[in-house]
Amino acid sequence: MQTTAGSATDCLVFAEFTPKDRFELSLACEIWLDDACNARWATNNSMKLAAVIVQGIKNNDGRGIEISRLDQLCAMTRDDANNTLRQMRIFGLIGDYRLEHGRIGATCCLSHAGQIRFLDMKHKFDVLDQLGQSRQAHAAEPAEVAASIASTVAITTGNVVAFRSRKPGRLDPEPAHELVS
């Protein structure tokens, strides 16, 4: 018995996104879960089911979640799960879902903002990885490594810190100082 129309199989996958490795999968899951839990429409059931879906994606290699385990995993019945999945589909968190053959299958969707956050975080982790490799290569030259880290951080984040006076009687604020090595 198929509960909803759609093409979701008995597995948990991301729509239009195929992670290259476990790290990318984990990062995408964290962003998707963050979106699910911080949505204005989120309920206790939707947050619990989203966490169970993420654990299913990470731990079960994308195999669906057994409906019989829902009660012990998040104190939900099949009907609660069906209503929650329907709500998640309405708000675009999942594309399709199925409740059949004793399993839940869902196609999870990262929003455009979530995709941008994924790419941004992946870039930041790549920079950190490059810095780690740079440290290993230049272990004997700590001054060069420190300069490399400072220049990379300044380039990737572009931090500019403005120091202003908090005194209420002062009319002219102090000029902004840029922290760049």
Side-chain angles (χ1 to χ4, degrees), residues 7 16 30 43 51-52 66 83 99 139 180:
S7 60
E16 301 175 5
E30 292 296 322
T43 63
V52 169
E66 294 179 27
N83 292 336
L99 292 170
V180 177

Side-chain angles (χ1 to χ4, degrees), residues 134-148:
S134 171
R135 278 190 193 164
Q136 290 174 355
H138 301 293
E141 304 153 4
E144 288 181 25
V145 173
S148 171

Side-chain angles (χ1 to χ4, degrees), residues 72-98:
Q72 75 182 133
L73 290 173
C74 60
M76 288 180 110
T77 64
R78 179 188 173 105
D79 290 336
D80 291 338
N82 187 29
N83 292 336
T84 302
L85 287 166
R86 187 178 306 126
Q87 180 185 24
M88 289 174 151
R89 188 180 67 197
I90 288 170
F91 287 104
L93 201 59
I94 60 173
D96 294 327
Y97 71 93
R98 278 191 160 166

Side-chain angles (χ1 to χ4, degrees), residues 110-123:
L110 275 178
S111 65
H112 292 295
Q115 291 174 13
I116 290 170
R117 283 181 19 218
F118 172 82
L119 292 173
D120 182 47
M121 292 300 294
K122 183 162 175 11
H123 173 72

Side-chain angles (χ1 to χ4, degrees), residues 56-77:
I57 290 173
K58 287 181 178 181
N59 297 338
N60 297 335
D61 295 325
R63 292 189 310 263
I65 302 162
E66 294 179 27
I67 295 173
S68 61
R69 293 198 59 218
L70 275 181
D71 187 38
Q72 75 182 133
L73 290 173
C74 60
M76 288 180 110
T77 64

Side-chain angles (χ1 to χ4, degrees), residues 102-114:
R103 299 185 83 70
I104 295 175
T107 304
C108 302
C109 300
L110 275 178
S111 65
H112 292 295

Side-chain angles (χ1 to χ4, degrees), residues 21-32:
D21 55 17
R22 291 294 242 175
F23 173 75
E24 283 190 6
L25 178 66
S26 179
L27 185 59
C29 286
E30 292 296 322
I31 291 170
W32 185 82

